[in-house]
Amino acid sequence: MNKMTTAERRGYQMICDATGSMMVVACDQRGGMRTLLAATPEEQALISNETLGKTKYDITAYLASQAGCVLVDPICAVPGIIDEGVVPRDTGLLIGLDASGWSTSPEGYRISNMVEGVTARKVRELGATGGKIMIYLRSDKPEANVANLQTLRDVIADFAHEDLFLVVEFLTYQLEGESKEEYQSKIPQLIQEGCQACIDCGSKVLKISYPGSEQSCAAVTDICGDVPWAVLSAGVDHATFLTQVDISLRNGASGVIAGRSLWKDCISLDRNVSKEKLSSIAVSRLRDIQQLLVKYKKQLNVA
């Protein structure tokens, strides 16, 4: 199995909370965050990277400061999030390598793109605890994954060369011409096989969508072995996510990497509104998740 080095293990410890479980607040979204801040494409296009960065500052100050770690993109929030003293000294910092959106192959498959120039060395220079890469996978279509898995292998090798901690995320997606029902029926298998593919490439920590059921979560844990996995929120409502977190932790997950479910209705271009909602509504949601982490502390598959 893919064992962490001492340096990687230290990075893993720094994204965990007092329970020893991953508790990361994700705000590396760019396009998705703009759609929450403005109603029309025209209004969204007017939101600068600087404005988006300030929104991420507020999420960090009022929410991530209460968690183990914050995940940001390499464009809007760094290096200011450190240089301006926004991220607390005892809060970990992950930087996402993936670009916003995706390219499409002639066959209609999603091709994952990385932000140009953001290497493991650059992540280290930005003062981060480690990096995060996201790729798209359809395990039932091997031809769809060739480029994305090669990107993953290249990034894993780059971070191994720097001996820097890396979280690997993959997302599945619905194919053109595939019905919603057909796709949803495949999700547990797609997630399980996606985990195996990422581990085969050398991944040491995974961030994945909710596997779909008790049985699927347990199967993911069996596949991962000593590789810790965290469940992401995918923007579902808070009550739904709490149920998913409960089931995931009960069946071997090692923590949570949550974004929109915590803050999607708490951010605004009016920073006073953001601060009020983040410090009350979003923090309350975080506390609900943290209570589950405490509940399952002894069962967590931490490295």
Side-chain angles (χ1 to χ4, degrees):
M1 196 51 71
N2 307 332
K3 186 177 180 180
M4 295 184 210
T5 66
T6 298
E8 291 169 335
R9 188 178 299 278
R10 180 58 176 160
Y12 178 79
Q13 291 170 348
M14 292 176 68
I15 75 164
C16 293
D17 66 8
T19 68
S21 55
M22 286 180 276
M23 184 59 254
V24 181
V25 175
C27 56
D28 56 325
Q29 299 86 344
R30 276 143 285 171
M33 187 174 283
R34 283 185 168 92
T35 64
L36 295 171
L37 291 170
T40 68
E42 293 76 18
E43 292 172 325
Q44 293 160 16
L46 294 175
I47 300 174
S48 67
N49 285 339
E50 181 181 2
T51 297
L52 214 56
K54 298 299 184 184
T55 302
K56 297 168 189 282
Y57 282 12
D58 291 337
I59 292 172
T60 299
Y62 290 91
L63 194 59
S65 62
Q66 308 295 317
C69 179
V70 62
L71 164 62
V72 301
D73 67 277
I75 297 172
C76 303
V78 291
I81 200 170
I82 292 178
D83 293 342
E84 297 178 35
V86 180
V87 62
R89 64 177 182 82
D90 54 353
T91 298
L93 174 64
L94 292 178
I95 293 179
L97 281 70
D98 33 289
S100 186
W102 61 85
S103 300
T104 304
S105 74
E107 301 80 14
Y109 301 129
R110 293 185 184 183
I111 305 299
S112 304
N113 299 317
M114 301 298 113
V115 178
E116 186 175 355
V118 183
T119 62
R121 175 62 61 89
K122 182 63 175 179
V123 169
R124 189 185 296 280
E125 290 172 355
L126 289 169
T129 306
K132 187 272 299 184
I133 177 177
M134 189 280 288
I135 60 167
Y136 290 100
L137 292 179
R138 277 291 304 228
S139 61
D140 58 336
K141 304 288 183 181
E143 67 276 14
N145 307 318
V146 175
N148 293 342
L149 289 177
Q150 187 58 54
T151 296
L152 177 60
R153 285 189 287 266
D154 291 344
V155 169
I156 288 174
D158 180 36
F159 273 72
H161 179 74
E162 286 290 325
D163 201 7
L164 188 62
F165 178 67
L166 178 69
V167 174
V168 172
E169 172 186 9
F170 74 90
L171 296 177
T172 66
Y173 59 98
Q174 187 174 341
L175 298 173
E176 185 177 351
E178 184 178 38
S179 70
K180 182 179 179 181
E181 294 74 20
E182 182 183 6
Y183 169 60
Q184 289 181 335
S185 71
K186 296 177 181 178
I187 288 177
Q189 180 181 357
L190 292 175
I191 292 177
Q192 292 171 37
E193 293 177 350
C195 288
Q196 187 64 65
C198 290
I199 289 171
D200 289 345
C201 288
S203 304
K204 298 179 179 180
V205 178
L206 294 180
K207 172 190 176 187
I208 65 173
S209 302
Y210 173 62
S213 67
E214 297 259 4
Q215 294 77 13
S216 188
C217 288
V220 165
T221 298
D222 287 341
I223 290 166
C224 289
D226 292 334
V227 172
W229 64 275
V231 62
L232 59 88
S233 70
V236 298
D237 66 82
H238 179 58
T240 297
F241 187 51
L242 276 183
T243 299
Q244 294 176 350
V245 170
D246 193 322
I247 294 171
S248 298
L249 294 176
R250 187 162 63 245
N251 288 279
S254 294
V256 176
I257 300 179
R260 288 169 294 164
S261 288
L262 288 171
W263 48 254
K264 64 182 178 181
D265 54 352
C266 298
I267 58 172
S268 169
L269 292 175
D270 183 338
R271 294 183 70 189
N272 289 324
V273 173
S274 293
K275 293 173 183 178
E276 191 279 324
K277 290 186 175 181
L278 287 169
S279 62
S280 56
I281 298 171
V283 168
S284 176
R285 292 170 179 166
L286 177 64
R287 295 289 183 244
D288 291 339
I289 294 172
Q290 290 171 323
Q291 287 179 7
L292 289 174
L293 295 178
V294 171
K295 176 181 177 181
Y296 291 108
K297 177 180 179 181
K298 293 183 180 179
Q299 296 177 221
L300 289 175
N301 177 31
V302 294

